[in-house]
Amino acid sequence: MTFFSSKPKLHISLEDKVWIEDSLLWFLEEFGREPLLAKTIIPTKEFFPLPLINTLESVKDMVTIICSYMKVNPKEIEVSLLSGIDPLHKQISHKDNTPGGTFQKKMKSNMYQIEINEKNTSNLIKTIATISHELCHVHLHGQNRITREEPDHEHLTDLLKVFFGMGIFNANSTFSFQQHENGWQHSSSGYLSEQMFGYALACYSWMRGDFNPTWIKYLDLNVKTYCQDSLEYLIETQDTALKKV
């Protein structure tokens, strides 16, 4: 592996470091070793053989595929599309603050309802990231592991995707620039920063005993750098509460 820094370097605070490690240890207690040691999901046809088309049926097919990776029963999931935001508002703010998706547990039927924002369905990475996030809600909120009253409940949901091997997609969709007719527009999604995703992915690799992960080449440059620096830090300092499983 080629590293960008000559000395081990962390890009997150000690508080964030402890939170990420403690949360990953809790996931290990709750879900066991199997999700952590399963194949890392990467953006290739091996894992996503079907093209994503801007239709509800295409999104449903994608949900079924991701359910198999996230250990969720697809028969318990109802899928619908969420209307996009007003283009004028987006143009003025230059920032997209609308949810990529929503999750709801239907108490009477024991089903889960997820909505995927239709404006993102032309973007494969964002769609996969959103679907995996909503399916993590099934594990955490739907199965009563946490409540929405907990201040870090959405951050835990983002982090759980890393534990289930889906972290690449969410890390790459955290921050992006896009050009439009009036200039450049930035957008952000998710609840963890690129730096936190970088450290979380390094911890994921560390726990798996994989110190030269091949999947790292699929990360965008910023997150890749944070991940490489963090993994180098863990290897050289052993400064972590995490053990190899």
Side-chain angles (χ1 to χ4, degrees), residues 1-14:
M1 179 186 295
T2 301
F3 296 104
F4 287 90
S5 59
S6 57
K7 297 181 180 180
K9 181 179 180 180
L10 282 184
H11 301 270
I12 59 173
S13 67
L14 176 60

Side-chain angles (χ1 to χ4, degrees), residues 42-94:
I42 57 178
T44 65
K45 287 188 176 181
E46 175 189 358
F47 295 97
F48 300 99
L50 300 177
L52 180 65
I53 306 172
N54 192 11
T55 65
L56 177 58
E57 289 305 313
S58 179
V59 173
K60 286 182 177 180
D61 289 340
M62 188 63 66
V63 169
T64 299
I65 291 172
I66 299 175
C67 276
S68 68
Y69 303 142
M70 302 290 297
K71 308 302 179 185
V72 173
N73 184 355
K75 294 181 180 180
E76 297 178 349
I77 307 298
E78 295 180 359
V79 183
S80 60
L81 293 180
L82 180 67
S83 297
I85 64 171
D86 175 53
L88 178 62
H89 173 73
K90 182 176 180 179
Q91 180 176 331
I92 293 174
S93 67
H94 298 293

Side-chain angles (χ1 to χ4, degrees), residues 113-244:
Q113 173 76 42
I114 66 173
E115 291 181 306
I116 306 301
N117 199 319
E118 63 181 1
K119 68 181 176 57
N120 289 334
T121 55
S122 59
N123 185 310
L124 178 63
I125 300 300
K126 282 189 176 182
T127 300
I128 294 173
T130 301
I131 292 171
S132 62
H133 180 88
E134 303 311 325
L135 293 179
C136 282
H137 277 304
V138 173
H139 284 304
L140 295 178
H141 298 93
Q143 298 173 6
N144 300 316
R145 286 185 167 92
I146 62 175
T147 68
R148 295 184 183 275
E149 282 66 45
E150 297 177 51
D152 64 346
H153 74 100
E154 288 287 7
H155 297 76
L156 280 170
T157 307
D158 258 2
L159 185 61
L160 185 59
K161 293 174 289 192
V162 175
F163 188 82
F164 271 86
M166 298 288 299
I168 289 173
F169 302 93
N170 298 85
N172 285 348
S173 64
T174 299
F175 189 86
S176 64
F177 276 99
Q178 293 179 325
Q179 190 173 20
H180 58 86
E181 60 182 2
N182 294 319
W184 286 91
Q185 172 182 300
H186 74 270
S187 63
S188 58
S189 62
Y191 297 85
L192 300 184
S193 66
E194 290 181 315
Q195 293 88 337
M196 292 179 73
F197 265 121
Y199 187 72
L201 286 163
C203 290
Y204 165 81
S205 191
W206 169 267
M207 294 174 74
R208 289 162 56 92
D210 183 4
F211 305 136
N212 189 23
T214 57
W215 48 259
I216 203 168
K217 66 184 179 182
Y218 294 100
L219 291 173
D220 289 347
L221 180 59
N222 284 354
V223 183
K224 181 180 179 181
T225 301
Y226 299 141
C227 181
Q228 288 176 321
D229 286 350
S230 298
L231 189 53
E232 182 183 11
Y233 175 88
L234 292 172
I235 292 171
E236 292 197 19
T237 69
Q238 309 281 307
D239 177 26
T240 177
L242 302 172
K243 305 295 182 183
K244 305 177 190 68

Side-chain angles (χ1 to χ4, degrees), residues 101-117:
T102 65
F103 164 83
Q104 181 180 4
K105 182 178 181 179
K106 294 189 170 183
M107 303 304 295
K108 293 183 179 180
S109 63
N110 290 322
M111 296 285 291
Y112 306 104
Q113 173 76 42
I114 66 173
E115 291 181 306
I116 306 301
N117 199 319

